[in-house]
Amino acid sequence: MTNFESSVQINRPVNQVYSFLSDLNNHEKLMPENIYNWSSTTDEAKFTIQNMAKLALKVSSRTENKEILIIPSEEAPFAVEMKWLIIENGDQTTATLTVSADLNMMMKMLASGPLQKLVDHQTAALQKELV
């Protein structure tokens, strides 16, 4: 598995950050502009990545105020999981997004840049959203 990771400090209590991230309806606000056809519920999201693929994701597990694990709910181009780790630091919260993808060498060359940009974009968007 190849990991792509990004962390951000948020000036909000851990329960507010967890509450926002645990609802997949909110994740549309964290997506880059090349995502469209978004539909979601609290536990599932479906969307299309421009010029790439359609994805369907679901929350696999939640650990209150600590972790949210998101996995594909339908066939995906490759095995992938997204994990949000949320850690309380006094009056701040550290949110870390890790995307783990099972990529062959060719996919690794094609997808590594976009996947790292995605995790960086999502953590930056989370920080802006929860100002």
CSV table of all heavy atoms in Angstrom, one decimal, residues 71-128:
chain,number,residue,atom,x,y,z
A,71,ILE,N,-14.2,3.6,3.2
A,71,ILE,CA,-13.7,2.6,2.2
A,71,ILE,C,-14.7,2.7,1.0
A,71,ILE,O,-15.8,3.2,1.1
A,71,ILE,CB,-13.6,1.2,2.8
A,71,ILE,CG1,-15.0,0.8,3.3
A,71,ILE,CG2,-12.6,1.2,3.9
A,71,ILE,CD1,-15.1,-0.7,3.7
A,72,PRO,N,-14.3,2.1,-0.1
A,72,PRO,CA,-15.2,2.0,-1.2
A,72,PRO,C,-16.5,1.1,-0.9
A,72,PRO,O,-16.3,0.1,-0.2
A,72,PRO,CB,-14.4,1.3,-2.3
A,72,PRO,CG,-13.0,1.6,-2.0
A,72,PRO,CD,-13.0,1.6,-0.5
A,73,SER,N,-17.6,1.6,-1.4
A,73,SER,CA,-18.8,0.8,-1.2
A,73,SER,C,-19.2,0.0,-2.4
A,73,SER,O,-20.1,-0.8,-2.4
A,73,SER,CB,-20.0,1.6,-0.7
A,73,SER,OG,-20.3,2.6,-1.7
A,74,GLU,N,-18.5,0.3,-3.5
A,74,GLU,CA,-18.7,-0.4,-4.8
A,74,GLU,C,-17.3,-0.6,-5.4
A,74,GLU,O,-16.3,-0.2,-4.8
A,74,GLU,CB,-19.5,0.5,-5.8
A,74,GLU,CG,-20.9,0.7,-5.3
A,74,GLU,CD,-21.7,1.7,-6.2
A,74,GLU,OE1,-21.1,2.1,-7.3
A,74,GLU,OE2,-22.8,2.0,-5.9
A,75,GLU,N,-17.2,-1.3,-6.5
A,75,GLU,CA,-15.9,-1.6,-7.1
A,75,GLU,C,-15.2,-0.3,-7.4
A,75,GLU,O,-15.7,0.6,-7.9
A,75,GLU,CB,-16.2,-2.4,-8.5
A,75,GLU,CG,-15.0,-2.8,-9.2
A,75,GLU,CD,-14.4,-4.0,-8.5
A,75,GLU,OE1,-15.1,-4.8,-7.9
A,75,GLU,OE2,-13.1,-4.2,-8.7
A,76,ALA,N,-13.9,-0.3,-7.0
A,76,ALA,CA,-13.1,0.9,-7.2
A,76,ALA,C,-11.9,0.5,-8.2
A,76,ALA,O,-11.6,-0.7,-8.3
A,76,ALA,CB,-12.5,1.3,-5.9
A,77,PRO,N,-11.3,1.5,-8.9
A,77,PRO,CA,-10.2,1.1,-9.8
A,77,PRO,C,-9.0,0.4,-9.1
A,77,PRO,O,-8.3,-0.3,-9.7
A,77,PRO,CB,-9.8,2.5,-10.3
A,77,PRO,CG,-10.9,3.4,-10.0
A,77,PRO,CD,-11.6,2.9,-8.8
A,78,PHE,N,-8.9,0.7,-7.8
A,78,PHE,CA,-7.8,0.0,-7.0
A,78,PHE,C,-8.3,0.0,-5.5
A,78,PHE,O,-9.1,0.8,-5.1
A,78,PHE,CB,-6.4,0.7,-7.2
A,78,PHE,CG,-6.5,2.2,-7.1
A,78,PHE,CD1,-6.5,2.8,-5.8
A,78,PHE,CD2,-6.6,3.0,-8.2
A,78,PHE,CE1,-6.5,4.2,-5.7
A,78,PHE,CE2,-6.6,4.4,-8.1
A,78,PHE,CZ,-6.6,5.0,-6.9
A,79,ALA,N,-7.7,-0.8,-4.7
A,79,ALA,CA,-8.0,-0.9,-3.3
A,79,ALA,C,-7.6,0.4,-2.6
A,79,ALA,O,-6.4,0.8,-2.8
A,79,ALA,CB,-7.4,-2.1,-2.6
A,80,VAL,N,-8.5,1.0,-1.9
A,80,VAL,CA,-8.2,2.3,-1.3
A,80,VAL,C,-8.9,2.5,0.0
A,80,VAL,O,-10.0,1.9,0.2
A,80,VAL,CB,-8.5,3.5,-2.3
A,80,VAL,CG1,-10.0,3.6,-2.6
A,80,VAL,CG2,-8.0,4.8,-1.8
A,81,GLU,N,-8.3,3.2,1.0
A,81,GLU,CA,-9.1,3.6,2.2
A,81,GLU,C,-8.6,5.0,2.6
A,81,GLU,O,-7.5,5.3,2.4
A,81,GLU,CB,-8.9,2.6,3.3
A,81,GLU,CG,-7.6,2.6,4.0
A,81,GLU,CD,-7.5,1.7,5.3
A,81,GLU,OE1,-8.2,0.7,5.3
A,81,GLU,OE2,-6.7,2.1,6.2
A,82,MET,N,-9.5,5.7,3.2
A,82,MET,CA,-9.2,7.0,3.7
A,82,MET,C,-9.5,7.0,5.2
A,82,MET,O,-10.5,6.5,5.7
A,82,MET,CB,-10.2,8.1,3.1
A,82,MET,CG,-10.1,8.2,1.6
A,82,MET,SD,-11.4,9.3,1.0
A,82,MET,CE,-10.9,10.9,1.7
A,83,LYS,N,-8.5,7.5,5.9
A,83,LYS,CA,-8.6,7.5,7.4
A,83,LYS,C,-8.4,8.9,7.9
A,83,LYS,O,-7.3,9.5,7.6
A,83,LYS,CB,-7.6,6.5,8.0
A,83,LYS,CG,-7.7,6.5,9.6
A,83,LYS,CD,-7.0,5.4,10.2
A,83,LYS,CE,-5.6,5.2,9.8
A,83,LYS,NZ,-4.8,4.2,10.6
A,84,TRP,N,-9.3,9.4,8.6
A,84,TRP,CA,-9.2,10.7,9.3
A,84,TRP,C,-8.8,10.4,10.8
A,84,TRP,O,-9.6,9.7,11.5
A,84,TRP,CB,-10.5,11.5,9.3
A,84,TRP,CG,-10.7,12.2,8.0
A,84,TRP,CD1,-11.5,11.8,7.0
A,84,TRP,CD2,-10.2,13.5,7.6
A,84,TRP,NE1,-11.5,12.7,6.0
A,84,TRP,CE2,-10.7,13.7,6.3
A,84,TRP,CE3,-9.3,14.4,8.2
A,84,TRP,CZ2,-10.3,14.9,5.6
A,84,TRP,CZ3,-9.0,15.5,7.5
A,84,TRP,CH2,-9.5,15.8,6.2
A,85,LEU,N,-7.7,10.9,11.3
A,85,LEU,CA,-7.3,10.7,12.6
A,85,LEU,C,-7.4,12.1,13.3
A,85,LEU,O,-6.8,13.1,12.8
A,85,LEU,CB,-5.8,10.2,12.7
A,85,LEU,CG,-5.3,9.8,14.1
A,85,LEU,CD1,-6.1,8.7,14.6
A,85,LEU,CD2,-3.8,9.4,13.9
A,86,ILE,N,-8.1,12.2,14.4
A,86,ILE,CA,-8.4,13.5,15.0
A,86,ILE,C,-7.8,13.4,16.5
A,86,ILE,O,-8.2,12.5,17.2
A,86,ILE,CB,-9.9,13.7,15.1
A,86,ILE,CG1,-10.5,13.6,13.6
A,86,ILE,CG2,-10.2,15.1,15.7
A,86,ILE,CD1,-11.8,13.0,13.6
A,87,ILE,N,-6.9,14.4,16.7
A,87,ILE,CA,-6.2,14.4,18.0
A,87,ILE,C,-6.4,15.7,18.7
A,87,ILE,O,-6.2,16.8,18.1
A,87,ILE,CB,-4.7,14.1,17.9
A,87,ILE,CG1,-4.5,12.7,17.2
A,87,ILE,CG2,-4.0,14.1,19.2
A,87,ILE,CD1,-3.1,12.4,16.8
A,88,GLU,N,-6.8,15.7,20.0
A,88,GLU,CA,-7.0,16.9,20.7
A,88,GLU,C,-5.7,17.4,21.2
A,88,GLU,O,-4.9,16.7,21.8
A,88,GLU,CB,-7.9,16.6,21.9
A,88,GLU,CG,-8.3,17.9,22.7
A,88,GLU,CD,-9.4,17.6,23.7
A,88,GLU,OE1,-9.6,16.4,24.1
A,88,GLU,OE2,-10.0,18.5,24.3
A,89,ASN,N,-5.4,18.7,21.1
A,89,ASN,CA,-4.2,19.4,21.6
A,89,ASN,C,-4.6,20.6,22.3
A,89,ASN,O,-4.6,21.8,21.8
A,89,ASN,CB,-3.3,19.8,20.4
A,89,ASN,CG,-2.7,18.7,19.7
A,89,ASN,OD1,-2.4,17.7,20.3
A,89,ASN,ND2,-2.5,18.8,18.4
A,90,GLY,N,-5.1,20.4,23.5
A,90,GLY,CA,-5.6,21.6,24.3
A,90,GLY,C,-6.8,22.2,23.7
A,90,GLY,O,-7.8,21.5,23.5
A,91,ASP,N,-6.8,23.4,23.3
A,91,ASP,CA,-7.9,24.1,22.6
A,91,ASP,C,-7.9,24.0,21.1
A,91,ASP,O,-8.7,24.5,20.4
A,91,ASP,CB,-8.1,25.5,23.1
A,91,ASP,CG,-6.9,26.4,22.7
A,91,ASP,OD1,-5.8,25.8,22.3
A,91,ASP,OD2,-6.9,27.6,22.9
A,92,GLN,N,-6.9,23.2,20.6
A,92,GLN,CA,-6.8,23.0,19.2
A,92,GLN,C,-7.0,21.5,18.9
A,92,GLN,O,-6.9,20.6,19.8
A,92,GLN,CB,-5.4,23.3,18.6
A,92,GLN,CG,-5.1,24.8,18.6
A,92,GLN,CD,-3.8,25.1,17.8
A,92,GLN,OE1,-2.9,24.3,17.9
A,92,GLN,NE2,-3.8,26.1,17.0
A,93,THR,N,-7.2,21.2,17.6
A,93,THR,CA,-7.3,19.8,17.2
A,93,THR,C,-6.4,19.6,16.0
A,93,THR,O,-6.4,20.4,15.1
A,93,THR,CB,-8.8,19.5,16.8
A,93,THR,OG1,-9.6,19.7,17.9
A,93,THR,CG2,-9.0,18.1,16.3
A,94,THR,N,-5.7,18.5,16.0
A,94,THR,CA,-4.9,18.1,14.8
A,94,THR,C,-5.8,17.0,14.0
A,94,THR,O,-6.2,16.0,14.6
A,94,THR,CB,-3.6,17.4,15.2
A,94,THR,OG1,-2.9,18.4,16.0
A,94,THR,CG2,-2.8,17.1,14.0
A,95,ALA,N,-6.0,17.3,12.7
A,95,ALA,CA,-6.7,16.4,11.9
A,95,ALA,C,-5.7,15.9,10.8
A,95,ALA,O,-5.1,16.7,10.1
A,95,ALA,CB,-7.9,17.1,11.2
A,96,THR,N,-5.6,14.6,10.7
A,96,THR,CA,-4.7,14.0,9.7
A,96,THR,C,-5.5,13.1,8.8
A,96,THR,O,-6.2,12.2,9.3
A,96,THR,CB,-3.6,13.2,10.4
A,96,THR,OG1,-2.8,14.0,11.3
A,96,THR,CG2,-2.6,12.6,9.4
A,97,LEU,N,-5.3,13.3,7.5
A,97,LEU,CA,-6.0,12.5,6.5
A,97,LEU,C,-4.9,11.6,5.9
A,97,LEU,O,-3.9,12.1,5.4
A,97,LEU,CB,-6.7,13.3,5.4
A,97,LEU,CG,-7.2,12.5,4.2
A,97,LEU,CD1,-8.2,11.5,4.7
A,97,LEU,CD2,-7.8,13.5,3.2
A,98,THR,N,-5.1,10.3,5.9
A,98,THR,CA,-4.2,9.3,5.3
A,98,THR,C,-5.0,8.6,4.2
A,98,THR,O,-6.1,8.0,4.6
A,98,THR,CB,-3.6,8.4,6.3
A,98,THR,OG1,-2.9,9.1,7.3
A,98,THR,CG2,-2.6,7.4,5.6
A,99,VAL,N,-4.6,8.6,3.0
A,99,VAL,CA,-5.2,7.8,1.9
A,99,VAL,C,-4.2,6.7,1.7
A,99,VAL,O,-3.0,6.9,1.3
A,99,VAL,CB,-5.5,8.6,0.7
A,99,VAL,CG1,-5.9,7.7,-0.5
A,99,VAL,CG2,-6.6,9.6,1.0
A,100,SER,N,-4.6,5.4,1.8
A,100,SER,CA,-3.8,4.3,1.5
A,100,SER,C,-4.3,3.6,0.3
A,100,SER,O,-5.5,3.3,0.2
A,100,SER,CB,-3.8,3.3,2.7
A,100,SER,OG,-3.3,3.9,3.8
A,101,ALA,N,-3.5,3.5,-0.8
A,101,ALA,CA,-3.9,2.9,-2.0
A,101,ALA,C,-3.0,1.8,-2.5
A,101,ALA,O,-1.8,1.9,-2.3
A,101,ALA,CB,-4.0,4.0,-3.1
A,102,ASP,N,-3.6,0.7,-3.0
A,102,ASP,CA,-2.8,-0.4,-3.5
A,102,ASP,C,-2.6,-0.2,-5.0
A,102,ASP,O,-3.5,-0.5,-5.8
A,102,ASP,CB,-3.6,-1.7,-3.3
A,102,ASP,CG,-2.8,-3.0,-3.6
A,102,ASP,OD1,-1.6,-2.8,-3.8
A,102,ASP,OD2,-3.4,-4.0,-3.7
A,103,LEU,N,-1.5,0.4,-5.3
A,103,LEU,CA,-1.2,0.8,-6.7
A,103,LEU,C,0.0,0.0,-7.3
A,103,LEU,O,1.0,-0.1,-6.6
A,103,LEU,CB,-0.8,2.3,-6.7
A,103,LEU,CG,-1.7,3.3,-6.1
A,103,LEU,CD1,-1.1,4.7,-6.0
A,103,LEU,CD2,-3.0,3.4,-6.9
A,104,ASN,N,-0.2,-0.5,-8.5
A,104,ASN,CA,0.9,-1.1,-9.2
A,104,ASN,C,1.8,0.0,-9.7
A,104,ASN,O,1.5,1.2,-9.5
A,104,ASN,CB,0.4,-2.0,-10.3
A,104,ASN,CG,-0.3,-1.2,-11.4
A,104,ASN,OD1,0.0,-0.1,-11.7
A,104,ASN,ND2,-1.3,-1.9,-12.0
A,105,MET,N,3.0,-0.3,-10.2
A,105,MET,CA,4.0,0.7,-10.6
A,105,MET,C,3.4,1.7,-11.5
A,105,MET,O,3.7,2.9,-11.4
A,105,MET,CB,5.2,0.0,-11.2
A,105,MET,CG,6.4,0.9,-11.2
A,105,MET,SD,6.9,1.6,-9.6
A,105,MET,CE,7.8,0.2,-8.9
A,106,MET,N,2.7,1.3,-12.5
A,106,MET,CA,2.1,2.2,-13.5
A,106,MET,C,1.1,3.2,-12.9
A,106,MET,O,1.2,4.4,-13.1
A,106,MET,CB,1.4,1.4,-14.7
A,106,MET,CG,1.0,2.3,-15.8
A,106,MET,SD,2.4,3.1,-16.6
A,106,MET,CE,1.7,3.4,-18.1
A,107,MET,N,0.2,2.6,-12.1
A,107,MET,CA,-0.8,3.5,-11.4
A,107,MET,C,-0.1,4.4,-10.4
A,107,MET,O,-0.6,5.5,-10.2
A,107,MET,CB,-1.8,2.6,-10.7
A,107,MET,CG,-2.8,1.9,-11.6
A,107,MET,SD,-3.9,3.1,-12.4
A,107,MET,CE,-4.9,3.7,-11.1
A,108,LYS,N,1.0,3.9,-9.8
A,108,LYS,CA,1.7,4.8,-8.8
A,108,LYS,C,2.2,6.0,-9.5
A,108,LYS,O,2.1,7.1,-9.0
A,108,LYS,CB,2.8,4.0,-8.2
A,108,LYS,CG,3.3,4.5,-6.9
A,108,LYS,CD,4.3,3.5,-6.3
A,108,LYS,CE,4.6,3.9,-4.9
A,108,LYS,NZ,5.4,2.9,-4.2
A,109,MET,N,2.8,5.8,-10.7
A,109,MET,CA,3.3,7.0,-11.5
A,109,MET,C,2.2,7.9,-11.9
A,109,MET,O,2.4,9.1,-11.8
A,109,MET,CB,4.1,6.5,-12.7
A,109,MET,CG,5.4,5.8,-12.4
A,109,MET,SD,6.4,5.4,-13.8
A,109,MET,CE,5.3,4.9,-15.1
A,110,LEU,N,1.1,7.4,-12.3
A,110,LEU,CA,-0.1,8.2,-12.7
A,110,LEU,C,-0.8,8.9,-11.6
A,110,LEU,O,-1.2,10.0,-11.7
A,110,LEU,CB,-1.0,7.4,-13.6
A,110,LEU,CG,-0.5,6.9,-14.9
A,110,LEU,CD1,-1.5,5.9,-15.5
A,110,LEU,CD2,-0.3,8.0,-15.8
A,111,ALA,N,-1.0,8.2,-10.5
A,111,ALA,CA,-1.9,8.6,-9.5
A,111,ALA,C,-1.3,9.3,-8.2
A,111,ALA,O,-2.0,9.9,-7.5
A,111,ALA,CB,-2.8,7.4,-9.0
A,112,SER,N,0.0,9.1,-8.0
A,112,SER,CA,0.6,9.6,-6.8
A,112,SER,C,0.5,11.1,-6.7
A,112,SER,O,0.1,11.6,-5.6
A,112,SER,CB,2.1,9.3,-6.8
A,112,SER,OG,2.3,7.9,-6.5
A,113,GLY,N,0.7,11.9,-7.7
A,113,GLY,CA,0.6,13.4,-7.7
A,113,GLY,C,-0.8,13.8,-7.4
A,113,GLY,O,-1.1,14.5,-6.4
A,114,PRO,N,-1.8,13.3,-8.1
A,114,PRO,CA,-3.2,13.7,-7.9
A,114,PRO,C,-3.7,13.2,-6.5
A,114,PRO,O,-4.4,14.0,-5.8
A,114,PRO,CB,-4.0,13.0,-9.0
A,114,PRO,CG,-3.0,12.8,-10.1
A,114,PRO,CD,-1.7,12.6,-9.4
A,115,LEU,N,-3.3,12.1,-6.0
A,115,LEU,CA,-3.7,11.6,-4.7
A,115,LEU,C,-3.1,12.5,-3.6
A,115,LEU,O,-3.8,12.9,-2.6
A,115,LEU,CB,-3.4,10.2,-4.4
A,115,LEU,CG,-4.3,9.2,-5.1
A,115,LEU,CD1,-3.8,7.8,-5.1
A,115,LEU,CD2,-5.7,9.3,-4.6
A,116,GLN,N,-1.8,12.9,-3.7
A,116,GLN,CA,-1.2,13.8,-2.7
A,116,GLN,C,-1.9,15.1,-2.7
A,116,GLN,O,-2.2,15.7,-1.7
A,116,GLN,CB,0.3,13.9,-2.9
A,116,GLN,CG,1.0,14.7,-1.8
A,116,GLN,CD,0.8,14.0,-0.4
A,116,GLN,OE1,1.1,12.9,-0.2
A,116,GLN,NE2,0.3,14.8,0.6
A,117,LYS,N,-2.2,15.6,-3.9
A,117,LYS,CA,-2.9,16.9,-4.0
A,117,LYS,C,-4.3,16.9,-3.4
A,117,LYS,O,-4.7,17.8,-2.8
A,117,LYS,CB,-3.0,17.3,-5.5
A,117,LYS,CG,-1.8,17.9,-6.1
A,117,LYS,CD,-2.1,18.4,-7.5
A,117,LYS,CE,-0.8,18.9,-8.2
A,117,LYS,NZ,-0.9,19.2,-9.6
A,118,LEU,N,-4.9,15.7,-3.5
A,118,LEU,CA,-6.3,15.5,-3.0
A,118,LEU,C,-6.2,15.6,-1.4
A,118,LEU,O,-7.0,16.3,-0.8
A,118,LEU,CB,-6.9,14.2,-3.4
A,118,LEU,CG,-8.2,13.8,-2.7
A,118,LEU,CD1,-9.3,14.8,-3.1
A,118,LEU,CD2,-8.6,12.4,-3.0
A,119,VAL,N,-5.3,14.9,-0.8
A,119,VAL,CA,-5.2,14.9,0.7
A,119,VAL,C,-4.8,16.3,1.2
A,119,VAL,O,-5.3,16.8,2.1
A,119,VAL,CB,-4.3,13.8,1.3
A,119,VAL,CG1,-4.9,12.4,1.0
A,119,VAL,CG2,-2.9,13.9,0.8
A,120,ASP,N,-3.9,17.0,0.5
A,120,ASP,CA,-3.5,18.3,0.8
A,120,ASP,C,-4.7,19.3,0.7
A,120,ASP,O,-4.9,20.1,1.6
A,120,ASP,CB,-2.3,18.8,0.0
A,120,ASP,CG,-1.0,18.1,0.2
A,120,ASP,OD1,-0.9,17.4,1.3
A,120,ASP,OD2,-0.1,18.1,-0.6
A,121,HIS,N,-5.4,19.1,-0.4
A,121,HIS,CA,-6.6,20.0,-0.6
A,121,HIS,C,-7.6,19.8,0.5
A,121,HIS,O,-8.2,20.8,1.0
A,121,HIS,CB,-7.2,19.7,-2.0
A,121,HIS,CG,-8.4,20.6,-2.3
A,121,HIS,ND1,-8.2,21.8,-2.9
A,121,HIS,CD2,-9.7,20.4,-2.1
A,121,HIS,CE1,-9.4,22.4,-3.0
A,121,HIS,NE2,-10.3,21.5,-2.5
A,122,GLN,N,-7.9,18.5,0.8
A,122,GLN,CA,-8.9,18.3,1.8
A,122,GLN,C,-8.6,18.8,3.2
A,122,GLN,O,-9.4,19.4,3.8
A,122,GLN,CB,-9.2,16.8,1.9
A,122,GLN,CG,-10.0,16.3,0.6
A,122,GLN,CD,-10.7,15.0,0.9
A,122,GLN,OE1,-10.0,14.0,1.3
A,122,GLN,NE2,-11.9,14.9,0.6
A,123,THR,N,-7.4,18.7,3.6
A,123,THR,CA,-7.0,19.2,4.9
A,123,THR,C,-7.0,20.7,4.9
A,123,THR,O,-7.5,21.3,5.9
A,123,THR,CB,-5.6,18.7,5.4
A,123,THR,OG1,-4.6,18.9,4.4
A,123,THR,CG2,-5.7,17.2,5.7
A,124,ALA,N,-6.6,21.3,3.8
A,124,ALA,CA,-6.6,22.8,3.8
A,124,ALA,C,-8.0,23.3,3.7
A,124,ALA,O,-8.4,24.3,4.4
A,124,ALA,CB,-5.8,23.3,2.5
A,125,ALA,N,-8.9,22.6,3.0
A,125,ALA,CA,-10.3,23.0,2.9
A,125,ALA,C,-11.0,22.8,4.3
A,125,ALA,O,-11.8,23.6,4.7
A,125,ALA,CB,-11.0,22.2,1.9
A,126,LEU,N,-10.6,21.8,5.0
A,126,LEU,CA,-11.2,21.5,6.4
A,126,LEU,C,-10.8,22.7,7.3
A,126,LEU,O,-11.6,23.2,8.0
A,126,LEU,CB,-10.6,20.2,6.9
A,126,LEU,CG,-11.1,19.9,8.4
A,126,LEU,CD1,-12.6,19.7,8.4
A,126,LEU,CD2,-10.3,18.7,8.9
A,127,GLN,N,-9.5,23.1,7.2
A,127,GLN,CA,-9.1,24.2,8.0
A,127,GLN,C,-9.9,25.5,7.7
A,127,GLN,O,-10.3,26.2,8.6
A,127,GLN,CB,-7.6,24.4,7.8
A,127,GLN,CG,-7.0,25.4,8.8
A,127,GLN,CD,-5.5,25.5,8.7
A,127,GLN,OE1,-5.0,25.5,7.6
A,127,GLN,NE2,-4.8,25.5,9.8
A,128,LYS,N,-10.1,25.8,6.4
A,128,LYS,CA,-10.9,27.0,6.0
A,128,LYS,C,-12.3,26.8,6.5
A,128,LYS,O,-13.0,27.8,6.9
A,128,LYS,CB,-10.8,27.2,4.5
A,128,LYS,CG,-9.5,27.6,4.0
A,128,LYS,CD,-9.5,27.8,2.5
A,128,LYS,CE,-8.1,28.0,2.0
A,128,LYS,NZ,-8.0,27.8,0.6
